[in-house]
Amino acid sequence: MKLLYFAWLRTRIGMAEEIVDPPSEVTTVGTLVDWLKTRGPGFAEALKDPSVVRVAVNHDYVKADHPVRPGDEIALFPPVTGG
Amino acid sequence: MKLLYFAWLRTRIGMAEEIVDPPSEVTTVGTLVDWLKTRGPGFAEALKDPSVVRVAVNHDYVKADHPVRPGDEIALFPPVTGG
Amino acid sequence: MIRVQAEDFDVGAELASLSEGNHGIGGIGVFVGLVRDMAGDDKIGALTLEHYPGMTERKLEEIEAEARRRWPLEACLIVHRYGRLEPGDRIVFVATASAHRDAALESCRFLIDWLKTEAPFWKLEETPDGGKWVDARDSDNKAKERWVK
Amino acid sequence: MIRVQAEDFDVGAELASLSEGNHGIGGIGVFVGLVRDMAGDDKIGALTLEHYPGMTERKLEEIEAEARRRWPLEACLIVHRYGRLEPGDRIVFVATASAHRDAALESCRFLIDWLKTEAPFWKLEETPDGGKWVDARDSDNKAKERWVK
């Protein structure tokens, strides 16, 4: 699956996008985020407060229990501040 | 005093403005309108329904008990419809 | 600032001059009123806007002053036309600029609601049966009442 | 219609093309957002707007569709810029046209309130201490809540 990071999640993680092949226990947004946090201090720091992390799967906002599948485009970003 | 008529009050009365010298019992907007109604069928028709007549004295909206004096500019017109 | 004029106005130019050089402005609320070709069920060809010179300017200035009392505005412009206008023509322009969008949008709405019931303008529509003075709308008075403290 | 672009836009030209030839339009509500030079107490020199290409367009289209479901709109345009912008620069433009001013003004406000919490844009301010990501404002979420049915 393809992961995208925006704004300060991008700068803390140090990467704008990547293709990942997570372990089989990663079946939802919540388990994906838990797995990402184990991938290094930048990830752990960026994702430590779930209240400021929004997740979109294939361009739709979703919650932690939303399924994730190979082929999905999954974006993680802070609350939006445009307009 | 100077009287001004606008919109359908103007067309019913048949005149945009005039200078009048009303009798001494005309001391308020209400008594002025009563007097005007005696001045002909156009006036009587135009002023028959007080709920659709607005009065301004010297550019301020006023009510029937507002005094009128020589030298005042008094305008009579229907509810406004601009914007 | 307020202006009452027969001439058309350039919305882009008005907005540019409103905000020029003022970097404290975060949002501008705008309303532009146009002549519709339908009034009720009657197709209208054009309309003539009559006004009361002197009082019109005074009321618009009062309305602007009231908006500035209620909201922290960086800039404010009301332009209202009079004379003969055709469908699609601009009638009125209200623009309010503030640091934040709430103040800009609320004051813009306040101004157009207030203007509709206070500023001495009257519309005469050209209909197939001749000229017809537009009746005041009860909804305009209700809209104004929302703002009466 | 929605557009996401780096380039500036011409408010007057956008409005003219929005209403051109449509004489059923009686009012246009507009909001223009500009870059302020003050964010809180920090003077900002400029800001960079980051966005999520693809999702941004999708969310803006959904927002427009929702406004059209709620109000009888004759026309609707949202333009949002991204990239580096300086104080005084235009960021966002929302225009809604309807037969009546209520629908135009309410839908305009709805769109900007909704866009502020739903469209994936993020502001990075240039401050004397370096870049600073703008925090989401609680007031924006409250503004959106007004519209949630």
Side-chain angles (χ1 to χ4, degrees):
Chain A
M1 60 190 66
K2 184 179 184 181
L3 300 183
L4 302 176
Y5 310 111
F6 291 97
W8 54 255
L9 267 109
R10 172 176 57 71
T11 53
R12 286 184 197 170
I13 289 171
M15 168 164 57
E17 58 179 85
E18 60 177 328
I19 305 288
V20 296
D21 188 8
S24 61
E25 67 265 27
V26 170
T27 56
T28 64
V29 165
T31 50
L32 173 66
V33 171
D34 289 340
W35 172 69
L36 287 172
K37 284 196 277 193
T38 68
R39 294 175 68 224
F43 283 98
E45 170 67 18
L47 299 169
K48 71 179 175 199
D49 180 0
S51 75
V52 290
V53 177
R54 300 280 174 275
V55 181
V57 173
N58 302 325
H59 296 167
D60 274 323
Y61 288 109
V62 298
K63 307 225 183 226
D65 59 357
H66 191 275
V68 297
R69 297 188 178 87
D72 281 348
E73 175 173 309
I74 302 167
L76 291 89
F77 47 77
V80 306
T81 57
Chain B
M1 61 189 65
K2 185 178 184 181
L3 301 183
L4 302 176
Y5 309 112
F6 291 97
W8 55 255
L9 265 107
R10 173 176 57 72
T11 52
R12 285 184 200 170
I13 290 170
M15 169 164 56
E17 60 179 83
E18 60 176 331
I19 306 288
V20 296
D21 188 7
S24 60
E25 67 266 25
V26 170
T27 56
T28 64
V29 164
T31 50
L32 174 67
V33 170
D34 288 341
W35 173 67
L36 287 172
K37 283 196 278 195
T38 69
R39 294 176 67 224
F43 282 97
E45 170 67 17
L47 299 170
K48 72 180 176 200
D49 181 358
S51 76
V52 290
V53 177
R54 299 280 175 275
V55 181
V57 173
N58 302 325
H59 296 167
D60 274 323
Y61 288 109
V62 298
K63 306 225 180 221
D65 60 357
H66 192 276
V68 297
R69 299 188 177 87
D72 281 350
E73 175 173 308
I74 301 168
L76 291 88
F77 48 77
V80 305
T81 58
Chain C
M1 200 165 68
I2 67 109
R3 294 205 319 264
V4 181
Q5 62 189 42
E7 305 75 40
D8 192 15
F9 46 84
D10 178 329
V11 172
E14 298 293 356
L15 283 176
S17 71
L18 192 78
S19 61
E20 189 169 11
N22 185 341
H23 294 167
I25 297 174
I28 307 176
V30 183
F31 179 78
V32 183
L34 305 174
V35 180
R36 285 197 303 146
D37 61 7
M38 288 291 286
D41 290 332
D42 299 327
K43 207 91 175 166
I44 65 162
L47 58 79
T48 298
L49 263 159
E50 182 170 326
H51 80 300
Y52 180 0
M55 183 169 173
T56 308
E57 289 82 356
R58 179 184 175 133
K59 295 311 290 184
L60 293 180
E61 279 164 5
E62 285 177 10
I63 293 165
E64 175 181 351
E66 181 62 28
R68 286 180 180 272
R69 262 190 295 276
R70 295 187 184 204
W71 290 276
L73 300 185
E74 296 284 335
C76 177
L77 175 62
I78 305 171
V79 183
H80 202 302
R81 294 176 69 190
Y82 61 87
R84 188 172 184 279
L85 300 172
E86 299 191 340
D89 284 353
R90 283 173 278 267
I91 305 174
V92 63
F93 173 81
V94 174
T96 47
S98 183
H100 298 290
R101 78 179 186 284
D102 271 357
L105 290 167
E106 282 175 23
S107 57
C108 179
R109 178 144 200 187
F110 166 83
L111 284 172
I112 189 70
D113 283 351
W114 205 263
L115 181 159
K116 284 250 176 194
T117 60
E118 293 283 312
F121 289 97
W122 302 273
K123 288 195 185 98
L124 176 68
E125 292 173 349
E126 295 175 16
T127 69
D129 311 320
K132 180 167 165 287
W133 290 99
V134 174
D135 282 329
R137 295 197 310 164
D138 194 44
S139 61
D140 286 334
N141 285 312
K142 288 216 170 57
K144 184 196 158 194
E145 278 165 20
R146 293 197 305 129
W147 301 106
V148 175
K149 287 184 172 171
Chain D
M1 201 166 67
I2 66 110
R3 295 206 318 266
V4 181
Q5 63 189 42
E7 304 75 40
D8 192 15
F9 46 85
D10 179 330
V11 171
E14 299 292 355
L15 283 176
S17 72
L18 193 77
S19 61
E20 189 168 13
N22 184 340
H23 295 168
I25 296 174
I28 308 176
V30 183
F31 179 78
V32 183
L34 305 175
V35 180
R36 285 198 302 147
D37 60 7
M38 288 291 287
D41 292 331
D42 299 328
K43 207 90 177 167
I44 66 162
L47 58 78
T48 298
L49 264 159
E50 181 169 325
H51 80 299
Y52 179 1
M55 182 167 175
T56 306
E57 289 81 356
R58 180 183 175 136
K59 294 311 291 183
L60 293 180
E61 280 163 3
E62 285 177 11
I63 293 165
E64 175 180 352
E66 181 62 27
R68 287 180 180 274
R69 261 191 296 274
R70 295 187 184 204
W71 291 276
L73 300 185
E74 295 284 334
C76 177
L77 175 63
I78 305 171
V79 183
H80 203 302
R81 294 175 70 189
Y82 60 87
R84 188 172 184 278
L85 300 172
E86 299 191 340
D89 283 354
R90 283 173 277 267
I91 305 173
V92 62
F93 174 82
V94 173
T96 48
S98 182
H100 298 290
R101 77 179 187 286
D102 269 358
L105 290 167
E106 282 175 23
S107 58
C108 180
R109 179 147 198 181
F110 166 84
L111 284 172
I112 188 71
D113 282 351
W114 205 263
L115 180 158
K116 284 251 175 193
T117 60
E118 293 284 311
F121 288 97
W122 303 273
K123 289 194 184 97
L124 177 68
E125 293 173 348
E126 296 175 15
T127 69
D129 311 320
K132 180 169 165 286
W133 290 99
V134 174
D135 282 329
R137 294 197 312 164
D138 194 43
S139 61
D140 287 335
N141 285 311
K142 288 215 169 58
K144 183 198 158 194
E145 278 166 20
R146 294 195 305 129
W147 300 106
V148 176
K149 287 181 174 170

